[in-house]
Amino acid sequence: MKILIGKRIKVYGVVQGVGFRPFVYRLAKKYELKGWVLNTSSSVEIEVEGERESIESFISDIQTNFPPIARIERIEIEDSPLNNYEGFSIRESKEDLGYQLISPDIAVCKDCLKELFDPKDRRYRYPFINCTNCGPRFTIIKDIPYDRKNTTMAKFKMCDECEREYNDPLDRRFHAQPNACPACGPKLWVEGIESEDPIKETARLLREGFIIAIKGLGGFHLACDATNSKTVKLLRERKRRGYKPFAVMMKDLDTIKRYCYVSLEEEKLLNSPQSPIVLLKIRSLEDLSKEVAPNNNYLGVMLPYTPVHHILLREADIPLVMTSGNLSEEPICQDNEEALDRLKGVADYFLLNDRDIYSRYDDSVVFVLEDKSQMIRRARGYAPSPIKIPFRVRQTLACGGELKNTFCLTKDNYAFISQHIGDLENIETLEHFINTIELYKRLFRVEPEVIACDMHPDYLSTRYALQLEGTLPVVRVQHHYAHIVSCMAENNIIEPVIGVAFDGSGYGLDGSIWGGEVFIADYDNFVRKSHLEYLPMPGGELAIRKPYRLAIGYLYSIFGEVPNLPFIDKIPEEEIKIIKEQIEKRINTPLTSSMGRLFDAVSSLLNICSETTYEGQPAVELEMAIKDIEFDKYYNLKIEEDNDIFIIKVKRLFEEILDDIDKLPNSYISAKFHNTIARIIVNTSLLIREEIKINTVVLSGGCFQNRVLLKKSIELLKREGFKVYIHSNVPCNDGGISLGQAIVGGRAGS
Ligand code: ZN
Ligand code: ZN
Ligand code: FE
């Protein structure tokens, strides 16, 4: 006689809107189990009855064969009494007090692609094809539960055929909330042009050299022919974008390989459901315009990830510049009206559609270093998936930094880092920041008990936090400490660490601008153990835009004079005089220990970059100057102990660089400089290890977007037996500090 048992199973994670219930339904049929499955606000709940062995196989299949974009965080299993169910059914959703994880938007899947280009399919060339395994999610959701009525698809009433798919548990589109077809779904058009085939029309316009604003998943792209220098240049002018590289979309992997080197790991990323922009080493630009990525050895490339892209790239058959549809600094455009208004004068034509975007969502940017991906900008495909942190903290809202802002909300042991919000320097971005905070609070049912922010009084994110002071406690977290904690949390480190934060600018505890810091740190405290010596920034912010001011300032304050070097030639005599005076009299000349500024100064000194048109440009171009040379030489930097702090002195460094300027090409000097900074990390870490016996080193801060520095630092540290941790899922730049703030804030006082 068969012995039947009953089990109640709860599955937590990204398990809704991803085809989970039909998957469970099919499994139950396969193992001849009776019972039901349903969605609750927090999980997928299952009750099954059957033979022990079948139930065990059923559960193991759930854990291993779940649908491609689902993500299982936790499974709870308990015995349940037998109810003698007749069959297996999918039951009505149930609301409870919980919350659940929400899937990011996902690139169009293989099955949908096949249908998209199958002339016999009813969705042949339909630009909004999707299924439970792919398509928009986060960008269309207004509230949970994730049902069509809570998305921007609510206004489209499904036709009979779509409705049938939607209600059939065995169909790939069962409960696919954005389900649509040409008969009932969203439509495309080119604004102002009557056309049977708007995508074909767009392709034609692109080939003719026009700039087109294209509505995508999370906002608008500005697209143009990447092989047409005249157009790319025009786009730079209209968008007011100096030298910052543009991303390029190419139709397939073979095309990408013509221009770039692609490793296995990079290939995987390009093809992944997240489909980010991957920074690839350029093989040869061939017919691509040099204007796409000036002075860079890397190209940001992505594959088509929406049905519109797939059709468009086939039609156009040229690599397309695809850059966010905004003016520099402003957030990406979201609505048709907004785009028509704000991008008037930038785009020549607009490819629009009537599916509304609820949340702005930029393309994510990553690079690969030794098989590990490094997030530069975390948005599409990744947010709002949380980072799991090693412990629970109070529900916290961390407001992040100023540039590359993200915020972070914590709940249980999850940290929900927002998608990249942008540079918080204008009203539009601030509004985007505030609206997105409200959205995350709603979606994940977070009610912050504490607010965390940077110490910089002028950051708009800090000001936003301080407005809430009085209602909620506000914890100010030092910028570089936040960087270190974010890297610790991402790596689940629980022991104290040597935290190396090499960064641009961040407000220091003493009111100076920090950025070349080495701490000993845990989650509750830090001690500044080493830093770059303080050097002047004549003109303050102006010195960041004009790094020659740093070069002159550093030389003048170290040597008392400025040697006559080629980089001086372009600078008016008068300005040099003013800079010297600013330093002597301490007028508008803050002091900084920033490592990023040291890179800027050296870049300018070598006459590589003397005007910054995007954040980090002098350092990027200094790194790029190395090309591919191998050069195992070092400069000398002295470390002096002062009051228990190791101060890194740069006088010898500058003496030796000046000595090399006539003898070595810039590529060699730059390589030597990068080696030196890596060695400084090792030498200070050795001194600290000697004293405090900590062997774990954490590397964070914007400087570690520099591959040469990152690679060399890891190599040298490992050679000395250090355990080294770097970022991967969370940016090492200021996009990552909200995570560190959230953890420090969430632990403080609790
Ligand atoms: Zn699909
Ligand atoms: Zn339909
Ligand atoms: Fe920073």
Side-chain angles (χ1 to χ4, degrees):
M1 195 187 106
K2 286 184 195 171
I3 300 171
L4 299 183
I5 60 161
K7 291 277 180 197
R8 173 71 71 94
I9 304 158
K10 287 183 181 174
V11 190
Y12 296 87
V14 182
V15 288
Q16 297 187 16
V18 295
F20 208 86
R21 286 171 303 165
F23 156 72
V24 170
Y25 179 91
R26 282 192 292 271
L27 272 187
K29 294 275 172 198
K30 175 177 165 194
Y31 291 110
E32 297 175 353
L33 304 176
K34 311 268 163 72
W36 48 260
V37 57
L38 60 75
N39 281 343
T40 72
S41 305
S42 55
S43 67
V44 165
E45 239 174 85
I46 307 161
E47 197 170 298
V48 283
E49 296 175 2
E51 288 179 68
R52 180 176 299 277
E53 258 182 38
S54 306
I55 291 186
E56 277 167 9
S57 311
F58 171 77
I59 293 172
S60 122
D61 270 18
I62 289 180
Q63 284 164 316
T64 47
N65 295 326
F66 54 85
I69 59 174
R71 172 169 141 183
I72 296 181
E73 290 280 319
R74 183 161 54 93
I75 295 189
E76 288 170 6
I77 303 164
E78 56 185 50
D79 294 332
S80 70
L82 291 178
N83 285 306
N84 299 312
Y85 294 111
E86 302 260 297
F88 193 87
S89 62
I90 295 179
R91 286 194 178 174
E92 193 78 359
S93 301
K94 197 172 80 183
E95 281 204 45
D96 58 25
L97 289 173
Y99 66 101
Q100 43 154 312
L101 305 187
I102 290 163
S103 169
D105 290 24
I106 293 295
V108 58
C109 75
K110 284 208 175 67
D111 293 328
C112 285
L113 265 186
K114 215 184 285 158
E115 292 168 355
L116 182 64
F117 292 110
D118 175 3
K120 292 190 292 294
D121 195 273
R122 72 187 189 94
R123 291 190 180 85
Y124 176 57
R125 288 174 65 91
Y126 179 58
F128 300 94
I129 187 170
N130 67 81
C131 72
T132 48
N133 299 324
C134 72
R137 291 286 183 287
F138 173 68
T139 53
I140 58 168
I141 184 171
K142 298 174 177 175
D143 202 352
I144 55 170
Y146 176 61
D147 282 332
R148 189 161 172 121
K149 66 171 180 355
N150 284 332
T151 71
T152 61
M153 284 299 291
K155 67 179 185 189
F156 300 99
K157 192 180 166 344
M158 275 186 272
C159 67
D160 291 349
E161 184 60 7
C162 286
E163 188 88 43
R164 192 196 56 71
E165 296 165 337
Y166 184 89
N167 289 319
D168 176 1
L170 294 178
D171 195 278
R172 212 172 82 241
R173 297 193 167 87
F174 175 68
H175 283 209
Q177 307 306 344
N179 190 27
C181 78
C184 66
K187 291 189 174 34
L188 271 179
W189 68 93
V190 180
E191 185 72 3
I193 297 185
E194 286 288 330
S195 169
E196 281 283 286
D197 192 334
I199 300 187
K200 208 173 198 159
E201 181 67 17
T202 303
R204 187 183 64 78
L205 292 166
L206 284 165
R207 275 199 311 269
E208 284 178 14
F210 291 106
I211 296 168
I212 321 283
I214 299 175
K215 188 176 186 180
L217 277 178
F220 278 74
H221 275 128
L222 287 163
C224 75
D225 178 356
T227 66
N228 183 335
S229 281
K230 210 174 124 219
T231 307
V232 180
K233 220 182 219 160
L234 190 64
L235 177 58
R236 282 201 181 279
E237 277 165 29
R238 290 186 184 171
K239 206 175 131 83
R240 286 182 237 138
R241 175 142 150 165
Y243 287 86
K244 193 174 180 189
F246 284 136
V248 178
M249 184 178 276
M250 299 193 188
K251 72 169 187 239
D252 55 25
L253 207 59
D254 284 341
T255 310
I256 295 179
K257 285 178 176 170
R258 266 181 57 202
Y259 301 98
C260 299
Y261 297 98
V262 187
S263 72
L264 219 59
E265 202 54 38
E266 289 163 340
E267 188 170 325
K268 252 193 253 165
L269 272 168
L270 287 164
N271 276 319
S272 69
Q274 289 76 25
S275 195
I277 295 170
V278 184
L279 302 176
L280 299 172
K281 182 107 187 273
I282 296 169
R283 179 196 294 273
S284 150
L285 278 182
E286 299 205 12
D287 55 344
L288 287 189
S289 163
K290 285 189 184 57
E291 297 288 329
V292 171
N295 306 336
N296 213 303
N297 312 335
Y298 293 85
L299 189 63
V301 186
M302 60 183 150
L303 286 169
Y305 58 84
T306 68
V308 175
H309 296 152
H310 278 277
I311 304 171
L312 181 65
L313 269 284
R314 283 186 186 208
E315 288 291 341
D317 205 26
I318 38 171
L320 295 177
V321 163
M322 281 276 194
T323 182
S324 31
N326 56 2
L327 294 178
S328 291
E329 262 102 78
E330 290 179 2
I332 188 168
C333 284
Q334 179 176 17
D335 304 331
N336 292 345
E337 298 308 313
E338 183 192 1
L340 287 169
D341 176 40
R342 276 172 53 201
L343 298 178
K344 181 176 59 190
V346 182
D348 300 305
Y349 294 96
F350 293 79
L351 180 63
L352 304 179
N353 69 63
D354 53 359
R355 184 175 74 195
D356 295 332
I357 297 166
Y358 193 70
S359 221
R360 297 173 206 267
Y361 208 40
D362 292 86
D363 292 317
S364 294
V365 182
V366 299
F367 72 86
V368 175
L369 187 100
E370 287 169 357
D371 290 349
K372 199 172 176 189
S373 61
Q374 301 289 317
M375 195 69 70
I376 296 290
R377 183 165 74 197
R378 187 175 179 274
R380 178 177 54 75
Y382 298 93
S385 293
I387 302 292
K388 254 196 187 161
I389 53 177
F391 38 74
R392 281 163 182 258
V393 296
R394 285 188 293 174
Q395 295 192 27
T396 307
L397 165 63
C399 300
E402 171 101 324
L403 299 178
K404 303 186 164 77
N405 175 278
T406 63
F407 61 82
C408 178
L409 284 160
T410 56
K411 181 152 182 165
D412 301 328
N413 60 341
Y414 291 125
F416 295 92
I417 305 179
S418 72
Q419 75 267 33
H420 166 85
I421 300 289
D423 296 347
L424 272 184
E425 293 180 319
N426 53 59
I427 278 296
E428 288 82 3
T429 317
L430 183 66
E431 270 170 18
H432 174 31
F433 169 81
I434 294 168
N435 293 339
T436 312
I437 289 176
E438 291 310 315
L439 174 68
Y440 274 64
K441 277 164 65 178
R442 196 159 69 234
L443 292 181
F444 302 111
R445 305 287 193 248
V446 185
E447 259 323 309
E449 301 158 76
V450 53
I451 310 289
C453 66
D454 198 86
M455 296 177 77
H456 200 303
D458 298 333
Y459 282 4
L460 288 182
S461 56
T462 307
R463 290 201 201 151
Y464 172 83
L466 294 182
Q467 276 173 21
L468 301 166
E469 203 167 30
T471 350
L472 289 169
V474 174
V475 180
R476 295 164 175 80
V477 185
Q478 200 280 324
H479 188 99
H480 304 101
Y481 179 43
H483 272 301
I484 296 301
V485 171
S486 96
C487 190
M488 290 172 68
E490 182 187 356
N491 287 293
N492 262 285
I493 301 174
I494 37 169
E495 74 264 19
V497 302
I498 299 172
V500 180
F502 281 4
D503 199 30
S505 313
Y507 202 81
L509 294 183
D510 58 2
S512 296
I513 299 166
W514 291 10
E517 314 303 314
V518 186
F519 299 150
I520 43 177
D522 60 22
Y523 290 108
D524 299 311
N525 242 317
F526 74 99
V527 178
R528 194 186 193 198
K529 277 308 291 179
S530 169
H531 65 84
L532 197 61
E533 71 173 297
Y534 281 129
L535 291 159
M537 286 175 71
E541 286 290 306
L542 188 62
I544 300 178
R545 284 208 307 279
K546 299 175 183 281
Y548 60 80
R549 291 182 144 261
L550 295 167
I552 293 171
Y554 288 14
L555 292 170
Y556 189 62
S557 65
I558 296 169
F559 302 115
E561 57 174 354
V562 183
N564 215 350
L565 291 165
F567 88 96
I568 304 275
D569 293 350
K570 291 169 281 186
I571 309 160
E573 199 92 9
E574 184 61 22
E575 193 175 356
I576 299 179
K577 225 178 87 195
I578 293 172
I579 295 172
K580 288 182 181 170
E581 222 173 82
Q582 283 181 316
I583 293 171
E584 282 160 11
K585 299 187 183 151
R586 283 274 108 108
I587 308 163
N588 190 18
T589 299
L591 292 176
T592 184
S593 59
S594 162
M595 185 54 75
R597 298 293 85 83
L598 182 65
F599 274 79
D600 291 354
V602 172
S603 181
S604 166
L605 179 68
L606 297 179
N607 213 4
I608 290 172
C609 176
S610 48
E611 292 258 7
T612 307
T613 69
Y614 64 90
E615 198 206 356
Q617 184 184 353
V620 168
E621 294 188 356
L622 182 63
E623 179 193 351
M624 297 307 150
I626 300 176
K627 305 287 177 198
D628 278 325
I629 63 138
E630 295 281 337
F631 192 49
D632 199 29
K633 290 276 191 300
Y634 297 81
Y635 290 114
N636 283 297
L637 277 175
K638 227 165 80 196
I639 301 178
E640 274 174 15
E641 199 174 343
D642 178 25
N643 268 329
D644 241 17
I645 297 187
F646 302 111
I647 313 284
I648 303 156
K649 306 287 257 187
V650 299
K651 187 172 175 197
R652 296 272 305 270
L653 170 77
F654 277 99
E655 279 171 356
E656 293 179 23
I657 291 179
L658 290 178
D659 213 44
D660 270 351
I661 278 189
D662 298 327
K663 297 182 202 139
L664 288 177
N666 276 345
S667 53
Y668 284 80
I669 299 178
S670 178
K672 218 168 147 181
F673 173 74
H674 280 77
N675 293 341
T676 307
I677 302 306
R679 182 181 265 174
I680 265 299
I681 292 175
V682 180
N683 289 354
T684 38
S685 299
L686 283 168
L687 286 169
I688 295 171
R689 180 166 73 182
E690 179 95 341
E691 188 184 315
I692 322 192
K693 311 284 172 252
I694 295 176
N695 194 45
T696 304
V697 179
V698 164
L699 304 178
S700 188
C703 292
F704 293 106
Q705 293 170 106
N706 182 319
R707 287 163 218 249
V708 178
L709 176 66
L710 182 58
K711 200 171 155 209
K712 193 79 185 177
S713 305
I714 297 171
E715 181 194 315
L716 297 184
L717 283 164
K718 285 196 171 156
R719 209 183 281 166
E720 293 295 339
F722 285 103
K723 244 200 290 174
V724 189
Y725 291 94
I726 59 171
H727 284 281
S728 176
N729 264 321
V730 178
C732 67
N733 59 44
D734 283 5
I737 63 171
S738 61
L739 173 61
Q741 291 173 351
I743 290 172
V744 176
R747 283 170 72 92
S750 65

